[in-house]
DNA sequence: CACATCCATAGCCATATAGCTATATGTGGA
DNA sequence: TCCACATATAGCTATATGGCTATGGATGTG
C-alpha cells in the first residue's frame, strides 16, 4: 500500500527536473515526441555535449529512454516517471484536506 | 487562458523543492501544521541557522508563510504554491494523452 | 580504405549553494 | 537594567554541478 516509489526515486526526479535547461529538454520531448540529440541540441541554447549530459541525467532518473538507430540516438519522454512527483504533491495537499475534515468534524461536534 | 503562473515561479518552486532537507521541512509543515523554528530544528538533522535559511528559501518560493509571536516565528505550509508543479506535470502527461487520441483517430480513419 | 557525421565521454573551470560557527537582533522575564 | 531565549544574518568553506572544448567510438558514405 502506497510507497510504490522509493524516496530515492522521488529525490532524483525532483533534483533532475530542478534544472531549467534539463526540464526544457524533457518538456520538448513531451510536446514533440521522439527526437534525436542533434535536433534537441538545435534550440537548446547549449552545446551538444551538454545536451547529451542532461539526457543521461534524465535517463538515470527514468524520465526518458533512448533508442539507437545507426549513428543517431532517438530519445523520448517517459511520462510515467512523473508519477512520484504528482503523488507527492497530492499527498501534501491531502494533509491540507484532512485538516479541513478535522475542522469540520470539530465544528460538527461543537454544534451538538 | 492558462499560464496563470509565471515560468519564473515554476522555476523557483522546482529549484526550492529539489533539496531533500528543504523538502523534508516543507513536508513536516504539511503533515503537522504550523510549527516554530525551534521545533523544526529538532529532528531536521541540521543546525538552526540552516533551518532558518531553508525557511527563507521556502518563503521566497511562496511555499510557506511565517507568523511572528513574541520571540518565536510560526511557519506553516502554503499548499496552493504546489499548483505550478502539479499543473506542469499534468500538462506534460496531457501531451501524452493527445498523442494517444491522435493514434486512435488515425486507427479510426484506417478502419474506414 | 579514407573521411564525414552523430553522439558520448573526459577533463577542465566557474559558480552556486548547503552546511558550519559566530554574532546580531529582538523579545520576555527577573 | 541585565540576562536568557528564539530567530535571523554574516561570513566562511567544501562540494556539486552546469557550462565549455577536445576527443573518442561508432556508423554511414564515396
Amino acid at each position: 500500500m502506497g510507497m510504490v516509489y522509493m524516496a530515492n526515486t522521488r529525490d532524483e526526479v525532483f533534483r533532475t527536473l530542478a534544472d531549467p535547461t534539463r526540464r526544457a529538454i524533457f518538456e520538448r520531448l513531451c510536446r514533440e515526441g521522439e527526437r534525436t540529440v542533434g535536433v534537441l541540441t538545435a534550440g537548446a541554447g547549449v552545446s551538444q555535449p551538454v545536451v547529451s549530459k542532461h539526457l543521461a541525467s534524465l535517463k538515470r532518473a527514468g524520465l526518458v529512454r533512448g533508442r539507437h538507430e545507426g549513428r543517431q540516438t532517438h530519445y523520448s519522454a517517459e511520462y510515467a516517471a512523473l508519477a512520484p512527483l504528482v503523488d507527492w504533491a497530492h499527498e501534501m495537499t491531502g494533509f491540507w484536506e484532512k485538516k479541513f475534515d478535522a475542522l469540520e468534524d470539530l465544528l460538527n461536534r461543537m454544534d451538538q
Side-chain angles (χ1 to χ4, degrees), chain A:
Chain A
M1 312 276 274
M3 289 307 296
V4 179
Y5 304 102
M6 299 167 291
N8 226 355
T9 301
R10 189 161 57 202
D11 248 51
E12 197 156 28
V13 170
F14 267 104
R15 191 165 42 75
T16 302
L17 291 177
D19 182 74
T21 306
R22 199 154 45 219
R23 201 168 62 248
I25 291 173
F26 176 73
E27 189 166 336
R28 239 188 112 183
L29 289 175
C30 285
R31 291 181 186 278
E32 308 177 8
E34 198 181 62
R35 286 290 181 269
T36 68
V37 177
V39 170
L40 289 172
T41 297
V46 291
S47 66
Q48 173 267 313
V50 168
V51 172
S52 280
K53 212 184 202 175
H54 281 312
L55 286 167
S57 297
L58 287 164
K59 195 172 178 184
R60 250 181 283 118
L63 285 158
V64 303
R65 59 194 308 272
R67 179 176 64 81
H68 295 284
E69 188 181 325
R71 286 180 294 190
Q72 322 196 49
T73 314
H74 298 257
Y75 283 93
S76 52
E78 285 281 10
Y79 299 87
L82 290 175
L85 191 145
V86 175
D87 289 350
W88 178 83
H90 284 161
E91 195 183 347
M92 292 306 111
T93 55
F95 295 126
W96 178 57
E97 284 157 16
K98 264 185 198 155
K99 242 170 279 170
F100 268 102
D101 289 350
L103 177 63
E104 186 180 21
D105 187 55
L106 176 66
L107 292 177
N108 284 340
R109 286 164 188 277
M110 287 172 69
D111 259 0
Q112 300 170 357

